[in-house]
Amino acid sequence: MDHGALPAPHRTFGLLLLALVAARLPAAEPWLVTSAELADLAKNAPAALTVPITTVVDGESLPGGDPHDYISYARYYWPDPAKPDGLPFVQRDGEHNRDQVAKGDRSRINTFAHAVTRLAAAWHLHRDEAAARRAGEWLRAWYLDPATRMNPNLDYAQVRLGHKSNRGNPAGVLDTRDFAGVIDALRLLEDSPALSADEHAALRAWFARYLDWLLKAPNAVAERAAKNNHATWYYAHAIPVARYAGRDEVARELSAEARDRIAEHIRPDGSQPEEIRRVDGLGYSRFNLEAYAATARAARGLGFDLWNYTAPNGASLRQALEFLRPYNAAPEKWPTSQKEKLEPGFLDDLLAEAATAKP
C-alpha cells in the first residue's frame, strides 16, 4: 500500500469533495478533550504548578549526539547475555527494561505534556493566570528557548543499542503521541497571557517542521505504514499536528487514510490479529482502539466519522469493541496471552465514547 501523497489532480478533486462533506457536518470543538476531561485535568493543575521544568537537554546524549535531540530506548530490549558487552541488545516482548528506558527522555516528555494540558485546562475553566503563565514557561522551554528546546525530529527515539548505529526506530514515533494533547493546550491558551503572538507563531513554525519530519523521514514513513497500533497512533497525533501547522489538506488525507486502514487492522469479526499475537494481546487490542478513538476525535472536525464507518470487508471500530466487550468484566478469561494484569472495566471509557458517538 502506497502511503505517499496522492497524485495532484486526484488529491485536489478528493479534497474538494472532503471539504464539501465537512461543510455539511456540525463543527467540532477546536480541541479534542471533552468538558468532563477538562474538569479532571484542571483539578490537577495546582500540583502541576510546582513540577520542575526539565527538557531533553537534561538527559544523557548519545556519543557525538546533539543534546537537543530527543532520545529514548526501546522498552523490550535487553543486553544479550551471550555477548561480553551485551551488544546488540535482544528483544524480550512484554518484559520492560525500566532501567534502560529511564536513561532516556521518555519520562520528561510525558511530564511536560501532562503538566501543560492540566495548566491549560485551569486557564480555560477558571481563568487561572498563574497556570497559564506556567504553561507558557513549559512551552518555551520545550520548543522555543535556544538553550533547552527539542529538535523537531525523533531520529533517536526508541534506540535499540547496538542496532542501526544507535539511531532510532519507527516505533519511536509513538513517543510523541501526547503532542495531540499539547496542541489542545495551545488552542486553549490562545486567549491567555501564556505566550505572545510572536511566540504562538514560532510554535506553529516548530510544528510545521515536525510535520515535515513526520511526512518525510524514513522512520516516520515506516511507522505510517505499520500494520498495527503504531500506524494508528501515528494518525492520532499527525492529524492534530497538521491542523495546528495550517495544513488541513494533509490532515484530511491522513484522516481518509486512517479510515481506510480499519479494514487492514480489524477483521470482520472484530479481532485485531496484529495486536492479539503479542504477549499482551488483550492490552494491545485495547491500545489500538484507544488510538482509533483519538484519531476519530481528530478527524471528526474534518468531516470524518470513524466510529460509524464500516469497511468494505465488514470491519468496524464498533465491531472491534464488541469483540473485546466480553472480557471487560473478566479480563482473566481472555483466551490467548495477556501477561500484564488488566483490571475489570479497562474498556469502560472506550465503551462510553462509542456510545456518545452514535449517529
Side-chain angles (χ1 to χ4, degrees), residues 266-278:
I266 302 169
R267 288 177 174 166
D269 67 354
S271 62
Q272 302 172 66
E274 289 300 312
E275 312 305 334
I276 289 174
R277 70 178 181 82
R278 301 292 298 273

Side-chain angles (χ1 to χ4, degrees), residues 282 324-331 343-349 351:
L282 179 58
L324 300 181
R325 187 193 288 268
Y327 311 103
N328 191 41
E343 297 297 328
F346 72 98
L347 274 181
D348 285 352
D349 56 342
L351 290 166

